Amino acid sequence: ASVGFEINDSRNKSIAGSTVGGLSTLDFYSLATSIDRPNVSSSRSRVKRHSTFAKASIGYKNMLYLDGSARLDWQSTASADDNRVETLGGSLSFIFSKLIERNDILTFGKLRASVAEAPRFPGAYANNIVYGGGTPYGSYGVQSLSATYPNPNLYGGKRSEVEVGTELKFAKNRLGLDVTYFKKVDKELPVSVTLNPATGYTSTTTNASQQTYNGMEYTLYVNPIKSDKINWDFNLNFATLKRGVDKISETSEENRLS
């Protein structure tokens, strides 16, 4: 078992510039040689995140394993009144081939199941009004207002996943099969929602949406040639995925993607 904590302070700064209309001096790459006024921009952001976690593992006779974890995350990009996300996780695996007498058919067999949650927080300044600085107009500075309406009540959501599967190996590990079923649910994750342009904004961010993913994964392992001098093996993978949008928001039934 173990417990711990993390402190993350992410700061990003950038500055960019580009010429307009080409260069006044051939092969002299400088903003000063831009034929028209060059485009310049800069940005900066800061995100702070504190986390604490605990995890434990237990095994029984090298064939049964149980793992569990719990985590708390706080992030500065969420509402100050609701900026904590609690997540849990656990897994169970059972090597049932340990209970079977050794044979040349089934070399190894395992069943597994797991549940996991992961936090997802809003992006930087999604809940505040921010201004963008652009290329000056004459001797006047230029600032622009974002077309995304800030939502001061944003909080972190969760991605939950359930997975069950089996791993089988036959003929002294010359043939193997791994099959997994998974289901993911994104609930109350911060997502962009289209607004009527008459509001003065084109979109906003909410925690109301829900999306579901489920599918199967198959892996076939074959080792057709194995000798002292040559060892040839290959894997064949195949997967299916079905994704559905269960809900966009309480007030919207459609969302414009582009």
Side-chain angles (χ1 to χ4, degrees):
S2 62
V3 295
F5 67 92
E6 298 175 355
I7 297 177
N8 184 286
D9 189 346
S10 177
R11 307 185 188 199
N12 295 287
K13 295 182 179 180
S14 68
I15 184 169
S18 63
T19 60
V20 177
L23 301 175
S24 59
T25 304
L26 184 64
D27 295 332
F28 184 19
Y29 297 98
S30 170
L31 293 180
T33 60
S34 176
I35 293 179
D36 296 320
R37 179 186 289 272
N39 291 324
V40 293
S41 63
S42 63
S43 67
R44 64 178 182 175
S45 64
R46 183 182 183 184
V47 176
K48 298 179 70 175
R49 184 167 180 170
H50 294 172
S51 308
T52 182
F53 58 87
K55 56 183 178 180
S57 303
I58 187 171
Y60 176 72
K61 291 186 176 182
N62 293 325
M63 66 177 181
L64 186 64
Y65 300 91
L66 177 64
D67 300 273
S69 63
R71 184 181 179 99
L72 300 176
D73 291 272
W74 295 262
Q75 186 159 305
S76 61
T77 58
S79 168
D81 298 326
D82 191 6
N83 65 351
R84 188 180 80 175
V85 176
E86 305 168 4
T87 52
L88 301 172
S91 64
L92 177 67
S93 59
F94 173 45
I95 304 176
F96 64 87
S97 56
K98 294 278 188 178
L99 301 177
I100 301 175
E101 186 176 347
R102 184 172 297 181
N103 59 84
D104 294 333
I105 300 176
L106 180 62
T107 309
F108 177 83
K110 181 172 72 173
L111 300 173
R112 63 179 183 271
S114 65
V115 293
E117 295 177 331
R120 293 291 188 276
F121 285 95
Y125 311 123
N127 53 3
N128 289 284
I129 296 176
V130 293
Y131 296 89
T135 303
Y137 180 76
S139 59
Y140 298 97
V142 174
Q143 285 191 315
S144 60
L145 183 64
S146 172
T148 300
Y149 181 77
N151 182 354
N153 300 315
L154 284 176
Y155 52 90
K158 295 180 184 180
R159 166 169 285 182
S160 304
E161 181 174 0
V162 176
E163 183 178 295
V164 293
T166 183
E167 182 181 352
L168 305 171
K169 293 183 179 179
F170 305 93
K172 297 181 180 180
N173 297 326
R174 302 291 294 274
L175 179 66
L177 179 65
D178 193 307
V179 181
T180 302
Y181 168 79
F182 65 89
K183 181 177 182 180
K184 300 179 184 179
V185 179
D186 290 345
K187 189 173 183 180
E188 297 184 340
L189 266 61
V191 295
S192 178
V193 176
T194 302
L195 291 179
N196 189 328
T199 61
Y201 297 89
T202 58
S203 64
T204 189
T205 305
T206 73
N207 288 100
S209 72
Q210 179 172 314
Q211 299 184 55
T212 303
Y213 312 74
N214 62 75
M216 298 287 297
E217 296 178 349
Y218 306 88
T219 301
L220 177 65
Y221 167 80
V222 181
N223 184 201
I225 300 177
K226 186 176 183 180
S227 66
D228 294 337
K229 296 183 179 180
I230 300 176
N231 184 36
W232 176 37
D233 59 72
F234 64 89
N235 292 284
L236 178 64
N237 300 307
F238 177 76
T240 65
L241 175 64
K242 182 179 180 181
R243 176 181 177 182
V245 178
D246 306 316
K247 183 175 67 172
I248 297 176
S249 72
E250 301 293 345
T251 59
S252 177
E253 296 182 353
E254 63 179 28
N255 194 21
R256 182 175 299 174
L257 301 179
S258 63

